[in-house]
Amino acid sequence: MTRMTSSNPLGQAIQKFLKAPAIFQYLVGGGIAVVVHMSILIGLVELFDVHAVVASTLGLIAGVVVKYLFQYYVTFRESSRGHRSAAWRFIAVTSFTLFLNYLMFTALEARMHYVIAQAITICAIFLVNFGINKAFTFQDVDQ
């Protein structure tokens, strides 16, 4: 097994990433979640003929799980908020995001290809989501 020390290139890259600004880490975690979301969306629509809005919702839910774990353990790892407190807050923010995703995607999907509609929707809610999660979900307990 390779150790992640300062002489190991992978270890150096990880240490550098962990020192990057939170918005960049959030973007990477969100990017991973988007890959999960879009893979499920496209897979369900193309392989199983699931309606795009349903597939988008299921993809979002899977992406949210990935995103929460990444944000909790990486982006906002220094937060003093525990899982009990952060998880319910994340669920509240995600419920709002799910609602926004549904509204935007439904409106856009009626006018354009579902993949383009989903990409626009994801980009539109990214900064709102970051701001709410930083200020509410993962804010330190003493603030």
Side-chain angles (χ1 to χ4, degrees):
M1 180 174 211
T2 304
R3 295 188 54 168
M4 286 193 234
T5 62
S6 59
S7 62
N8 179 323
L10 177 59
Q12 291 173 347
I14 291 170
Q15 290 303 314
K16 188 174 182 178
F17 176 75
L18 292 174
K19 293 177 183 173
I23 186 84
F24 178 74
Q25 293 174 7
Y26 194 86
L27 180 63
V28 170
I32 294 167
V34 166
V35 169
V36 170
H37 182 167
M38 295 297 284
S39 297
I40 291 171
L41 167 64
I42 294 167
L44 289 175
V45 169
E46 299 298 330
L47 299 175
F48 300 102
D49 202 29
V50 174
H51 190 277
V53 174
V54 173
S56 174
T57 301
L58 294 173
L60 177 69
I61 291 167
V64 162
V65 172
V66 170
K67 185 176 178 180
Y68 172 77
L69 294 172
F70 190 93
Q71 304 312 351
Y72 185 86
Y73 287 109
V74 178
T75 307
F76 300 109
R77 68 191 170 284
E78 295 177 5
S79 172
S80 60
R81 193 168 297 284
H83 271 300
R84 278 193 181 153
S85 179
W88 80 260
R89 288 168 178 254
F90 193 83
I91 290 168
V93 171
T94 299
S95 297
F96 175 67
T97 301
L98 180 61
F99 179 67
L100 284 179
N101 181 82
Y102 174 79
L103 289 178
M104 285 191 72
F105 181 75
T106 301
L108 292 172
E109 191 260 339
R111 293 168 178 78
M112 61 188 68
H113 191 272
Y114 72 93
V115 173
I116 295 169
Q118 189 63 70
I120 292 170
T121 301
I122 288 168
C123 291
I125 60 179
F126 170 77
L127 288 174
V128 171
N129 211 5
F130 174 76
I132 294 171
N133 277 314
K134 183 177 181 181
F136 177 68
T137 306
F138 298 106
Q139 180 188 36
D140 283 332
V141 174
D142 59 342
Q143 290 185 0

